[in-house]
C-alpha cells in the first residue's frame, strides 16, 4: 500500500508520536510506503511532500510539535481545492490518507471521504472537543502543564493575598480549564459552556477573602463569555474554518475583579505554552495506539473512519459521528463538582 499522512490544525504534543507509529506500522508490519504532506491539507493541495520512513522518524517520539508542520488550510475554501487533493492522491498512487487533526481538519476529512477520497482520521487537539472519543492526543499534556502552572500561581497568590486569573486555551469548550482547575484546586472556573456573571464571581471572591488572608485562583478558558449584556468584549478574528482567534478574556476578568472587589488581581495567560514541549507518557502511548490502528483501518479499507479511545479500548467510529458538534463539558458534571469544591 502507499499511504499519505498529514497533521492539520493547531499543533499539540504527541503529533510526532502518532506520525512515528503510522510510519513504523506501515513500513515494518506491511512494507507500505509513506508520503508525508507538509502543513496539513495545504501540502496535499500544493503537492508539498516529505517522504517518511523509520529512519526519518527516529528520535521524534518525545518531541513536541510536528515534523510535517501544520496549517489551518481548508480544501473547501481554496479554489479547486478538492480537485487538487484528488489529483495529488492520484499522482502519488495513494491508497489512503491518514489525517491527524482536530474538528476542522477532521470535518474536511469527512467531506473529502464522502467525495470518495480514502481518508482515515486520528483525533488530536489540546481542547479535547472532538466527539466519538474519550480523549484526543495532546489533551493530557495540556492539563498536566496547566495544573502545574496553577500550583505555582497558588504559592505566589498566597504570599500576596491576591487573586490570580489564569487563562488557558479552550475555544469553545472548557475541558482544560475544568480538569486542570479541579486538579489544582482553583476557586473559580469560567468555561465557554456556561456564560459567567461577573457580579457573582466578585461576590464569591470577596466572601473568600473576607475570611482572612486567602489565595484565589480563577481559571478562565479563553472562550468563556460573560452573560449577555454584562461586559463588552472586542470582536475576535476568524480563520478558514470559521474559528475565532481568542485570547485576552483573562485580563478583562482580572480588571473587573479589582474594580468590583478592591482585591489585588493579576493575570497569567498560559496560551501556547499548553501546546508546546514534550508530550506526557499518556499522550505518547495514546498517539502510538491511534497511529497503529489508523494503518490497520486503511488496510481494512475502513475509509471515513476515525480511530478513538473508548475506556481503555482503541476503536473506530465514523468520522461523520465525530464532527459537526463539539464535545462539551456536560452541565451535570460541572454542577456536581462546582458545588463541592469551588468555595
Ligand atoms: O488547537 C486548538 C487551539 O489551541 C485552541 O485552544 C486555540 O483557541 C487555538 O488553537 C489557537 O490557535 P492559533 O495557534 O492558530 O492561534
Amino acid at each position: 500500500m502507499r499511504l499519505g499522512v498529514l497533521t492539520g490544525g493547531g499543533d499539540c504534543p504527541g503529533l510526532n508520536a502518532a506520525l512515528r507509529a503510522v510510519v513504523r506500522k506501515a513500513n515494518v508490519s506491511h512494507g507500505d510506503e509513506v508520503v508525508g504532506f507538509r502543513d496539513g491539507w495545504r501540502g496535499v493541495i500544493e503537492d508539498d511532500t516529505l517522504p517518511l520512513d523509520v529512519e526519518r522518524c527516529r528520535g521524534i517520539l518525545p518531541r513536541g510539535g510536528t515534523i510535517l508542520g501544520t496549517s489551518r488550510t481548508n480544501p473547501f475554501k481554496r479554489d479547486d481545492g478538492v480537485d487538487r487533493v484528488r489529483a495529488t492522491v492520484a499522482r502519488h498512487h495513494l491508497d489512503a490518507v491518514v489525517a491527524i487533526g482536530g474538528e476542522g481538519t477532521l470535518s474536511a476529512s469527512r467531506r473529502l471521504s464522502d467525495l470518495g477520497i480514502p481518508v482515515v482520521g486520528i483525533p488530536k487537539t489540546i481542547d479535547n472537543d472532538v466527539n466519538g472519543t474519550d480523549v484526543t492526543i495532546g489533551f493530557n499534556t495540556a492539563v498536566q502543564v496547566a495544573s502545574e502552572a496553577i500550583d505555582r500561581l497558588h504559592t505566589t497568590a498566597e504570599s500576596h493575598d491576591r487573586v490570580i486569573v489564569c487563562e488557558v486555551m479552550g475555544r469553545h469548550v472548557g475541558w482544560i480549564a475544568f480538569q486542570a482547575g479541579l486538579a489544582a484546586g482553583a476557586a473559580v472556573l469560567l468555561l465557554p459552556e456556561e456564560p459567567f456573571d461577573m457580579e457573582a464571581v466578585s461576590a464569591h471572591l470577596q466572601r473568600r477573602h473576607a475570611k482572612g488572608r486567602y489565595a484565589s485562583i480563577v481559571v478562565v478558558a479563553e472562550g468563556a463569555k460573560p452573560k449577555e449584556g454584562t461586559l463588552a468584549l472586542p470582536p475576535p478574528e476568524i480563520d478558514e474554518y470559521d474559528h475565532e482567534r481568542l485570547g485576552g478574556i483573562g485580563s478583562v476578568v482580572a480588571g473587573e475583579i479589582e474594580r468590583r472587589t478592591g482585591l489585588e488581581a493579576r493575570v497569567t495567560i498560559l496560551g501556547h505554552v499548553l501546546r508546546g514541549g514534550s508530550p506526557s507518557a499518556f499522550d505518547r502511548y495514546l498517539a502510538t495506539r491511534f497511529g497503529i490502528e489508523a494503518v490497520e483501518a486503511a488496510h481494512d479499507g475502513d475509509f471515513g473512519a476515525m480511530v478513538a479511545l473508548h475506556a481503555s479500548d482503541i476503536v473506530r467510529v465514523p468520522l461523520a459521528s465525530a464532527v459537526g458538534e463539539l464535545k462539551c463539558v456536560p452541565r451535570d458534571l460541572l454542577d456536581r463538582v462546582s458545588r463541592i469544591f469551588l468555595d
Side-chain angles (χ1 to χ4, degrees):
M1 244 188 175
R2 286 179 55 80
L3 294 178
V5 64
L6 62 90
T7 51
D11 76 335
C12 70
L15 292 175
N16 284 325
L19 289 173
R20 171 181 174 270
V22 167
V23 169
R24 278 193 164 261
K25 180 71 186 167
N27 278 188
V28 178
S29 295
H30 296 289
D32 295 341
E33 285 177 38
V34 183
V35 177
F37 289 102
R38 295 182 201 269
D39 304 337
W41 287 112
R42 184 200 69 76
V44 189
I45 293 170
E46 296 176 13
D47 198 359
D48 187 358
T49 60
L50 177 73
L52 293 178
D53 58 18
V54 170
E55 276 313 308
R56 180 65 193 81
C57 292
R58 251 185 232 298
I60 68 172
L61 173 65
R63 273 181 54 197
T66 160
I67 59 167
L68 284 181
T70 185
S71 74
R72 297 190 189 277
T73 304
N74 183 348
F76 292 91
K77 292 263 171 96
R78 295 294 167 103
D79 287 342
D80 304 327
V82 175
D83 290 341
R84 292 171 72 176
V85 166
R86 212 188 286 282
T88 303
V89 169
R91 193 174 308 119
H92 290 278
H93 307 288
L94 298 179
D95 301 291
V97 176
V98 176
I100 309 173
E103 227 278 323
T105 304
L106 295 174
S107 296
S109 304
R110 182 255 163 123
R111 290 178 68 188
L112 290 167
S113 156
D114 287 349
L115 295 171
I117 294 164
V119 186
V120 174
I122 297 182
K124 68 83 221 174
T125 162
I126 63 163
D127 286 5
N128 195 34
D129 57 4
V130 176
N131 263 307
T133 182
D134 293 354
V135 279
T136 49
I137 297 171
F139 174 63
N140 178 269
T141 308
V143 169
Q144 186 62 34
V145 173
S147 64
E148 280 170 20
I150 298 166
D151 282 348
R152 288 172 187 279
L153 294 176
H154 249 123
T155 63
T156 170
E158 270 159 20
S159 309
H160 290 268
D161 190 22
R162 275 177 180 159
V163 175
I164 299 190
V165 178
C166 178
E167 180 183 309
V168 297
M169 280 190 168
R171 198 173 5 217
H172 301 294
V173 306
W175 284 109
I176 299 173
F178 183 68
Q179 288 202 7
L182 272 191
V188 176
L189 302 178
L190 304 179
L191 313 186
E193 283 83 347
E194 191 182 3
F196 62 87
D197 178 350
M198 208 56 244
E199 216 30 64
V201 170
S202 304
H204 174 62
L205 293 170
Q206 223 148 16
R207 269 198 308 277
R208 277 170 65 88
H209 288 256
K211 296 174 190 164
R213 290 181 69 83
Y214 227 112
S216 295
I217 308 296
V218 175
V219 179
V220 55
E222 61 181 356
K225 303 259 182 321
K227 279 193 174 153
E228 217 178 311
T230 60
L231 260 185
L233 300 176
E237 289 174 44
I238 305 291
D239 75 10
E240 284 189 24
Y241 285 103
D242 297 327
H243 291 151
E244 296 178 342
R245 185 174 298 164
L246 299 169
I249 182 72
S251 307
V252 176
V253 168
E256 286 297 314
I257 290 170
E258 279 203 338
R259 193 173 69 76
R260 291 168 192 243
T261 66
L263 294 166
E264 217 183 350
R266 296 287 188 271
V267 62
T268 295
I269 300 178
L270 295 181
H272 291 82
V273 170
L274 303 179
R275 290 224 316 243
S278 190
S280 65
F282 178 90
D283 273 328
R284 297 179 199 187
Y285 175 67
L286 180 70
T288 299
R289 293 188 70 196
F290 276 176
I292 291 169
E293 185 64 18
V295 173
E296 284 303 298
H299 273 266
D300 292 345
D302 201 356
F303 304 125
M306 181 186 84
V307 299
L309 182 73
H310 287 180
S312 58
D313 294 330
I314 302 294
V315 299
R316 299 176 200 164
V317 298
L319 268 168
S321 70
V323 299
E325 230 176 82
L326 295 176
K327 185 180 69 185
C328 296
V329 180
R331 185 57 212 247
D332 62 326
L333 179 58
L334 196 51
D335 281 352
R336 241 178 298 151
V337 299
S338 58
R339 250 181 263 128
I340 304 170
F341 295 109
L342 307 179
D343 207 0

